[in-house]
Amino acid sequence: MFALGLLSEGGESPDAALLWMLIVALAFFFLMVAVGWLVSRNKKAETGVHYQPDDLAKMEGVGPKVVQLLNAAGIKTFEALAHAEVSRVQKILDDAGLRMMNPEGWIEQAKLAAKGDWEGFERLQSELKGGRKVS
């Protein structure tokens, strides 16, 4: 009300002052939305969050059910799997009743895939059977 009174003293009608207040409020609102969007984009970029999950089923020994389990646990990219602890991934598998699986080979593959070393990725896969190294 105080702002309306100040604006209307300038010779403008109260309707014109109200319109200016509305324009200023809307401009401020859109500015805050834009700033919030930019800040959230930067935080995602800093934490390595990808908008598209990687196809984890490309890895030897990983099928659709395992991909679902990993995704549900927040592991959706090669980068995330590469930095996951074997014990954490093993617990995810154990909790789902998949106790016979060993995620160590997956993490090795994920490290190569995250770096974009597809040649090394394929070479490692040729040494694996079911995600485990063949002796």
Side-chain angles (χ1 to χ4, degrees), residues 85-102:
E85 299 215 8
V86 174
S87 59
R88 176 178 174 230
V89 178
Q90 188 65 58
K91 180 164 176 22
I92 294 166
L93 297 172
D94 291 347
D95 290 348
L98 302 173
R99 289 179 174 76
M100 299 299 288
M101 297 185 133
N102 183 341

Side-chain angles (χ1 to χ4, degrees), residues 16-104:
L18 187 59
L19 179 63
W20 276 109
M21 290 292 288
L22 180 61
I23 291 171
V24 169
L26 283 172
F28 182 76
F29 171 77
F30 286 115
L31 177 66
M32 290 297 102
V33 168
V35 167
W37 178 74
L38 288 171
V39 167
S40 71
R41 265 187 70 208
N42 287 341
K43 282 187 180 178
K44 286 180 184 176
E46 290 170 5
T47 58
V49 174
H50 296 290
Y51 294 106
Q52 287 284 51
D54 290 325
D55 183 6
L56 300 178
K58 286 183 179 179
M59 295 185 299
E60 173 67 29
V62 176
K65 184 171 184 172
V66 172
V67 170
Q68 264 186 326
L69 292 171
L70 293 174
N71 287 343
I75 300 172
K76 298 181 181 188
T77 62
F78 293 124
E79 185 77 26
L81 183 56
H83 290 94
E85 299 215 8
V86 174
S87 59
R88 176 178 174 230
V89 178
Q90 188 65 58
K91 180 164 176 22
I92 294 166
L93 297 172
D94 291 347
D95 290 348
L98 302 173
R99 289 179 174 76
M100 299 299 288
M101 297 185 133
N102 183 341
E104 289 179 27

